[in-house]
Amino acid sequence: SLRKDIDSLRTEFGAKINEVAQGLQFAFPVHFAFNDATVRTEDAAALDRFASVVSKHYNGAKVTVEGFADPAGSTRYNAALSQRRAEAVKAYVSSKGLDASLINTVGYGESRQVQKGAWGDQPGAELNRRVVFVIETPANADANKVTASLEQ
């Protein structure tokens, strides 16, 4: 069941899911408008499905929402903007049933750019304005089995 849900996230939403030391990293097509931290309506379906998968297969796991910004603005401003983006996504997925006390947020600002130097309306800039999820602690043995085979 988890394998089917993971594959669905990949095919329907273009999610990139990787195994990391603490669990899984989910990179979704959840992006933001320039200088904005509002969750876009076109990203609701992906976030809804993510919340459903986490509730079903990783109930009780810690989730970190990592926010990013394009390189426009100062380093300090971009760190704060990316933190607001992570907080907005946390509020959204919490409203869909995830336990807010188990969700951490971090803003990485302009670090880890997908499209180096792209900002504003430049091609690829939207890719820099994103969030990434990390499920830090798989909550059950079945999830651990699937985690081990994700990259196969």
Side-chain angles (χ1 to χ4, degrees):
S1 173
L2 175 58
R3 168 65 80 186
K4 183 178 175 185
D5 286 341
I6 295 279
D7 288 343
S8 173
L9 289 170
R10 285 181 170 140
T11 57
E12 288 181 49
F13 301 106
K16 293 178 180 16
I17 304 166
N18 297 303
E19 190 172 358
V20 293
Q22 298 88 3
L24 298 175
Q25 179 184 61
F26 287 74
F28 275 100
V30 177
H31 299 101
F32 297 86
F34 180 71
N35 198 30
D36 191 23
T38 305
V39 174
R40 304 177 314 170
T41 56
E42 58 264 38
D43 295 325
L47 290 171
D48 292 351
R49 183 69 63 81
F50 175 79
S52 174
V53 169
V54 171
S55 292
K56 181 177 178 183
H57 299 289
Y58 296 98
N59 191 25
K62 292 182 180 181
V63 176
T64 299
V65 182
E66 300 177 342
F68 299 91
D70 67 29
S74 70
T75 300
R76 177 180 281 181
Y77 180 82
N78 288 337
L81 176 60
S82 63
Q83 181 66 39
R84 288 193 309 273
R85 289 174 173 163
E87 291 290 336
V89 170
K90 174 184 177 176
Y92 184 91
V93 296
S94 296
S95 76
K96 299 300 177 181
L98 295 186
D99 183 347
S101 70
L102 295 174
I103 303 173
N104 298 315
T105 60
V106 62
Y108 286 110
E110 61 203 60
S111 67
R112 301 189 211 168
Q113 294 177 41
V114 174
Q115 188 68 33
K116 289 281 186 205
W119 64 276
D121 293 331
Q122 295 175 345
E126 184 178 85
L127 300 175
N128 292 331
R129 301 186 298 262
R130 70 195 186 285
V131 295
V132 172
F133 297 93
V134 177
I135 299 177
E136 297 179 22
T137 311
N140 60 47
D142 290 339
N144 287 327
K145 290 177 192 171
V146 174
T147 298
S149 66
L150 276 176
E151 296 301 319
Q152 296 179 357

